[in-house]
Amino acid sequence: MRLDWELARRGYRRYAAYPGATYAGLFTNVFFGFLLAYILLAVYERADVIGGYDVRDAIAYVWLAQGLLSVVASFGPSWIELAERVRTGDVATDLQRPVDLQRALFAQDVGRAGYQLLYRAAPQFLLGALLFEVTIPAEPVRWLAFAASVSLAIVVSFALRFIVNLTSFWLLDYRGTYLMALVASHVLSGLIVPLSFFPGTIGDVVRALPFAAMLQAPIDIYVGAPLGGSTALVLLLQGTWAVLLLAAGRALLAAGTRKLVLQGG
Amino acid sequence: MADHVIEVVGVEKSFVVRAKTGRLRRERREVTAVDGISFSIERGTIVGYLGPNGAGKSTTVKMLTGILVPSGGQIRVAGLDPSRQRIELARRIGVVFGQRSQLWWDLPLRDSFDLLRHIYRVPAERHRANLERFTEILALDAFLGTPVRQLSLGQRMRGELTAALLHDPEVVFLDEPTIGLDVVAKAAVREFLAEVNRARGVTVLLTTHDLADIERLCSRLLIIDHGRLIWDGGLDELKRRYGQERTLVIDLEEPAPPLEVPGARVTKVDGPRQWLAFRRDETSAAELTAAVAARARLVDLAIEETQIEEIVRRIYATGAAPPAS
Amino acid sequence: MYVRLVGSRVRSQLQYRASAALQIFGTTLIALLDLVTIVVIFDNVPELDGWTLQEVGLLYGIASISFALTDLVIGHLDRLPQMIRDGSFDQVLVRPLPSLLQVVASDFALRRLGKAVQGLGVLVWALTAVEVDWTAGRAAMIPLAIVSGAVIYAGVWVALATVAFWIVDAIEFVNAFTYGGNFLSQYPVSIFGRWLRGLVVFVIPIAFVAYFPALYVLDKSDGLGLPEWFRFASPLVAAVVALGARLVWGNAVRRYRSAGG
């Protein structure tokens, strides 16, 4: 437990050490926030509600998405850092340590997420809320559910990234899977438009995927338009993905470790 | 009137460094890396450039090659002002940075040379002749077709040297060219430089920490420390002036307390062996030996000259050239 | 000279023909997903501030191709911070070639063609689907816009990249403008807030990449009251931007050489 905390702190500090990069990232997110907000405002001139979102929901979505983007690491080095260590063989030293690799990386990731929640997500959303009209939930229950959902989103995101990284054990050039995963998460996590904009069944299917669990799900809960009308369902879905993906990650790690050992690492 | 291919007069370079003091404030400080250096180098010489890390060596070289603009003073290399005529100068010089590469990483070595031919506008015939000659001297044949990233350090360095000389530069600046190489490779590089200097009259400014490089190649040394030139002269002269001290190493029959002998001082004792340092101009080795023999039973002896390492180390350590005698 | 420098890079990439083709295919696919957004939007509403899907497609097509061309030729500029950090920019200064040329020519990624292919596809579709009273002038405006647009993007990109010379970590900053700028030019400028409109018309003039030429081709009024001749100003803007970029770059390198980096 103590170790987890230490690792989380390390993950936090790693990002806190580069305030310049944080500001730059924040700037980018804010810039895109404006762009998307304007686009959606123009969209809502011709429609009142789309996929359960009204205009204030949609603007809230924009600022939340841009803010949470960094928290769930939609982009960034964490998609391939481990993969690179696998490729160079450095991972062997990691595996020799008496610490569970997945757990250790998870702890660090939580630290990272914490930092970015404080210094990217929060300022981002506050700014958006000040400058535009956004939905602010009145019921404390929704806020709680939102918090829970964000936490689960972080877990799902980590589990996904872990798996994508591990493909490096088997693929010489992991950049292919990385690119595909990046694109998939880009589009399917609801980065540009809320997934609820997707028509009918497509929209439902897409929202059930793990990518949606990373970003769209918490926002859906926040604005009060969860998949299937049920917040509990969404949380359950996220939780299920989290468990499944973490388990898959462990299995892959075990398989990868075996392979490494057999090949004389 | 000697032909000075490099002329440096009163050159200075200061940087403004911003250091964080506390959470938000930043301090501006001026750091002087080079504090008024002057020297000139004759065409066709190989000059060694030494100094401890942070002394201003790389800053000087960067100013000579046009990378940095001096804060004060004047520089002329091959008759050009590096800060204003960067591109023109670049045609006439070659540069090898020990740590960094000028070759194209994933292309075969041969392709790098070809690209350089176009960049430096070398006539095809001349390029071919040069390449042939260098391939011969440096034994490049084996790996001309290998991508640079797959070369060993020794091979890569040979490639770098070739790249730096293919366009017949007037001056070549080398920064630690032998670092990390094995003994054989180092020797090859040194021979190559000596040959190129002899046969083509290329002037060489060699920055190095390797004193064997200096012994083999340099007729002249520039030593810089804290931004100032503390030695500018021949290697022999350096040895003569600061190499006054010699050491007599004696093996006694049995361990004894440090011997007291006029004209010498004991610098080290290890069992029956003692090291006595003495000055060449004060005592001779013969006199000293006799004096020692009169005081103890001598089994064997040897004489050590001051290594250039010692001289240089002393110069670095004291930050200024030690007094002449 | 540029051609020579990238020539060998291209040759070596072409050696792996299958891989190159796959990469181009892959990036085309990825770029196509960009379109998903627009399609999804228009699935829900018929118009965006008076612009139909086909008209937005025209914007998108021109902007994409311009961007892809720029990315193809000078995309490697994003290596600049790394080059400064690890000292290889010094190596650039020691060669008898202009520094910008060297940085830009340091690599050539064939795969960036993917976006150009996709942009072309969208443009072709839009041109056939959109309602336009075609004249020679209007037809000529399309390629003119693409070329001017590429130059404008390039100039902006180069000018912004010089940030790398004095701020270490801020490359993201630049990305906001380059990728953000491209994203922005896919939508009609009229939907943006006043400050943003002012920015992209008068400061970082990417409105001239696709928006103004499109206004001319489609014979639309933009409801913003901007002068009519802006619609033809793209080449002029491109020239000004290119000149400005050169000055900015030269200045930045001079400062780097004085400050010691």
Side-chain angles (χ1 to χ4, degrees):
Chain A
M1 210 41 226
R2 177 71 213 234
L3 181 62
D4 292 325
W5 177 248
E6 283 304 314
L7 286 169
R9 279 184 73 199
R10 201 212 288 179
Y12 180 98
R13 250 179 292 153
R14 199 178 142 202
Y15 280 79
Y18 295 98
T22 304
Y23 290 134
L26 194 54
F27 180 83
T28 311
N29 290 137
V30 168
F31 188 69
F32 271 93
F34 275 108
L35 289 185
L36 293 170
Y38 288 131
I39 293 176
L40 285 174
L41 280 174
V43 172
Y44 275 90
E45 272 178 26
R46 303 296 303 251
D48 285 328
V49 178
I50 302 178
Y53 277 55
D54 67 20
V55 62
R56 290 168 62 223
D57 294 334
I59 302 300
Y61 150 83
V62 165
W63 294 97
L64 278 174
Q66 289 297 315
L68 289 175
L69 183 34
S70 54
V71 175
V72 301
S74 292
F75 304 102
S78 52
W79 285 88
I80 51 172
E81 268 172 343
L82 179 59
E84 186 59 23
R85 288 184 73 78
V86 170
R87 190 184 69 82
T88 56
D90 287 341
V91 73
T93 28
D94 296 335
L95 291 170
Q96 275 169 356
R97 300 224 181 90
V99 183
D100 180 69
L101 185 59
Q102 193 187 41
R103 181 169 167 172
L105 287 176
F106 179 61
Q108 287 186 50
D109 199 52
V110 168
R112 173 201 62 79
Y115 175 77
Q116 285 169 325
L117 257 170
L118 286 175
Y119 288 92
R120 297 214 18 200
Q124 172 95 30
F125 185 65
L126 279 168
L127 188 65
L130 282 173
L131 294 175
F132 292 85
E133 267 195 53
V134 298
T135 311
I136 311 265
E139 318 89 12
V141 173
R142 252 212 270 172
W143 283 99
L144 272 169
F146 177 62
S149 187
V150 170
S151 314
L152 284 171
I154 296 174
V155 178
V156 171
S157 161
F158 168 76
L160 256 169
R161 275 176 283 140
F162 191 67
I163 291 177
V164 170
N165 270 295
L166 289 183
T167 55
S168 176
F169 271 117
W170 292 276
L171 296 174
L172 212 57
D173 186 9
Y174 56 79
R175 305 214 119 222
T177 23
Y178 162 56
L179 219 54
M180 281 195 303
L182 208 61
V183 169
S185 76
H186 188 123
V187 175
L188 299 175
S189 57
L191 206 43
I192 316 270
V193 268
L195 292 179
S196 24
F197 274 33
F198 282 73
T201 354
I202 303 183
D204 288 337
V205 166
V206 153
R207 285 207 280 171
L209 292 176
F211 304 102
M214 271 170 52
L215 195 61
Q216 186 70 35
I219 302 180
D220 275 345
I221 291 180
Y222 178 89
V223 305
L227 178 64
S230 162
T231 305
L233 177 63
V234 174
L235 287 170
L236 188 62
L237 196 56
Q238 279 184 294
T240 312
W241 278 119
V243 169
L244 278 174
L245 290 172
L246 280 174
R250 293 196 78 72
L252 276 177
L253 182 62
T257 315
R258 261 199 312 275
K259 178 171 189 275
L260 200 66
V261 168
L262 286 176
Q263 290 194 332
Chain B
M1 180 68 181
D3 177 13
H4 294 277
V5 70
I6 297 180
E7 284 178 333
V8 174
V9 179
V11 160
E12 301 167 356
K13 184 66 190 163
S14 338
F15 299 110
V16 171
V17 169
R18 290 207 183 104
K20 274 180 124 163
T21 50
R23 287 206 119 202
L24 282 175
R25 279 174 314 140
R26 293 228 179 118
E27 235 179 35
R28 281 172 64 110
R29 250 182 341 143
E30 217 176 69
V31 170
T32 306
V34 174
D35 193 10
I37 290 192
S38 304
F39 60 86
S40 33
I41 298 182
E42 269 177 48
R43 189 177 292 280
T45 49
I46 302 185
V47 177
Y49 196 33
L50 283 86
N53 292 323
K57 280 198 316 281
S58 35
T59 309
T60 318
V61 175
K62 284 187 185 178
M63 289 194 282
L64 289 172
T65 50
I67 295 175
L68 280 184
V69 170
S71 321
Q74 284 181 37
I75 302 182
R76 284 209 109 49
V77 177
L80 299 169
D81 178 357
S83 57
R84 279 177 229 273
Q85 296 164 291
R86 173 183 85 75
I87 294 188
E88 245 189 276
L89 177 65
R91 284 194 205 293
R92 307 202 202 169
I93 62 174
V95 183
V96 177
F97 292 117
Q99 327 283 57
R100 295 184 299 264
S101 177
Q102 59 180 309
L103 303 168
W104 280 262
W105 211 232
D106 32 0
L107 295 179
L109 193 55
R110 185 182 287 123
D111 286 6
S112 280
F113 293 151
D114 199 47
L115 266 173
L116 286 168
R117 173 169 88 81
H118 288 110
I119 291 179
Y120 284 94
R121 305 201 201 139
V122 183
E125 203 23 62
R126 183 80 195 135
H127 177 89
R128 204 187 52 78
N130 281 345
L131 188 53
E132 242 177 62
R133 181 85 187 105
F134 295 154
T135 306
E136 196 190 308
I137 307 181
L138 290 171
L140 301 177
D141 258 319
F143 52 92
L144 267 179
T146 319
V148 172
R149 69 184 138 82
Q150 290 176 6
L151 296 177
S152 72
L153 184 59
Q155 291 172 325
R156 209 198 88 207
M157 188 47 71
R158 283 184 269 163
E160 302 273 353
L161 287 171
T162 308
L165 286 153
L166 271 177
H167 56 282
D168 292 320
E170 292 177 42
V171 186
V172 172
F173 297 89
L174 302 174
D175 180 30
E176 311 254 23
T178 58
I179 201 169
L181 298 180
D182 62 58
V183 173
V184 175
K186 282 194 205 219
V189 168
R190 284 178 208 139
E191 289 318 308
F192 175 70
L193 290 173
E195 158 74 15
V196 161
N197 168 256
R198 192 189 55 76
R200 294 154 186 254
V202 177
T203 312
V204 179
L205 183 65
L206 176 66
T207 306
T208 183
H209 281 295
D210 188 329
L211 295 160
D213 285 348
I214 297 177
E215 290 270 14
R216 174 63 188 90
L217 296 168
C218 308
S219 50
R220 181 157 155 219
L221 277 186
L222 294 168
I223 307 187
I224 184 174
D225 193 15
H226 288 105
R228 300 239 173 95
L229 216 51
I230 57 177
W231 176 263
D232 177 359
L235 181 58
D236 288 337
E237 202 190 316
L238 185 70
K239 280 185 173 174
R240 211 178 26 248
R241 280 177 79 179
Y242 303 116
Q244 290 303 324
E245 214 168 65
R246 313 170 80 193
T247 304
L248 185 68
V249 185
I250 55 177
D251 282 342
L252 303 173
E253 210 172 55
E254 49 185 30
L259 290 183
E260 297 225 357
V261 181
R265 71 174 199 287
V266 178
T267 56
K268 190 163 151 198
V269 176
D270 184 9
R273 180 173 286 187
Q274 300 192 10
W275 282 256
L276 283 80
F278 65 99
R279 295 194 58 90
R280 193 192 295 270
D281 48 359
E282 282 175 17
T283 331
S284 77
E287 282 174 17
L288 196 56
T289 312
V292 167
R295 286 168 172 71
R297 303 267 280 274
L298 200 55
V299 172
D300 201 357
L301 59 82
I303 299 184
E304 286 177 0
E305 307 294 343
T306 313
Q307 298 299 313
I308 184 174
E309 309 210 9
E310 183 53 34
I311 299 177
V312 175
R313 203 180 309 140
R314 248 187 278 154
I315 295 184
Y316 281 11
T318 60
S325 358
Chain C
M1 189 76 242
Y2 178 84
V3 174
R4 261 196 221 288
L5 284 173
V6 301
S8 34
R9 272 272 138 67
V10 175
R11 269 199 307 276
S12 70
Q13 282 182 42
L14 280 178
Q15 270 185 348
Y16 305 97
R17 241 185 277 262
S19 170
L22 208 65
Q23 282 190 336
I24 297 181
F25 181 70
T27 43
T28 311
L29 217 61
I30 291 170
L32 275 171
L33 287 170
D34 247 352
L35 285 173
V36 169
T37 312
I38 298 187
V39 168
V40 164
I41 288 178
F42 278 95
D43 193 59
N44 287 289
V45 294
E47 279 186 355
L48 213 56
D49 197 35
W51 289 68
T52 63
L53 175 62
Q54 292 81 354
E55 293 172 338
V56 170
L58 186 65
L59 280 180
Y60 185 93
I62 297 177
S64 283
I65 300 180
S66 295
F67 186 81
L69 284 177
T70 307
D71 196 25
L72 204 57
V73 176
I74 70 168
H76 233 77
L77 200 52
D78 59 11
R79 282 294 174 80
L80 183 60
Q82 176 64 25
M83 292 180 81
I84 293 175
R85 243 199 314 262
D86 67 21
S88 42
F89 190 74
D90 287 349
Q91 183 62 59
V92 163
L93 291 174
V94 163
R95 291 224 190 97
L97 286 176
S99 52
L100 181 55
L101 175 64
Q102 289 188 61
V103 174
V104 153
S106 56
D107 202 358
F108 192 84
L110 269 181
R111 64 170 186 276
R112 296 187 215 240
L113 269 175
K115 194 154 163 70
V117 171
Q118 172 244 23
L120 192 62
V122 173
L123 183 64
V124 167
W125 167 81
L127 287 175
T128 53
V130 87
E131 284 177 27
V132 169
D133 197 8
W134 287 107
T135 64
R138 297 218 171 95
M141 180 56 95
I142 304 280
L144 188 66
I146 293 176
V147 172
S148 313
V151 175
I152 294 176
Y153 273 141
V156 169
W157 205 331
V158 167
L160 288 175
T162 59
V163 161
F165 284 111
W166 26 283
I167 303 180
V168 179
D169 274 328
I171 192 62
E172 281 227 35
F173 220 16
V174 178
N175 284 340
F177 284 112
T178 49
Y179 291 102
N182 176 53
F183 182 68
L184 185 160
S185 20
Q186 295 164 5
Y187 295 88
V189 169
S190 46
I191 67 176
F192 299 126
R194 247 181 116 220
W195 67 273
L196 191 54
R197 288 204 302 264
L199 184 73
V200 299
V201 172
F202 296 104
V203 180
I204 304 183
I206 50 188
F208 288 91
V209 171
Y211 181 68
F212 283 114
L215 283 182
Y216 171 64
V217 172
L218 298 169
D219 200 23
K220 269 174 111 65
S221 78
D222 70 346
L224 292 176
L226 290 166
E228 187 73 29
W229 62 269
F230 271 19
R231 302 174 182 210
F232 306 98
S234 295
L236 179 64
V237 171
V240 170
V241 167
L243 211 69
R246 243 188 112 198
L247 287 173
V248 169
W249 177 270
N251 188 48
V253 173
R254 224 168 303 135
R255 286 188 57 192
Y256 174 81
R257 289 171 72 202
S258 301

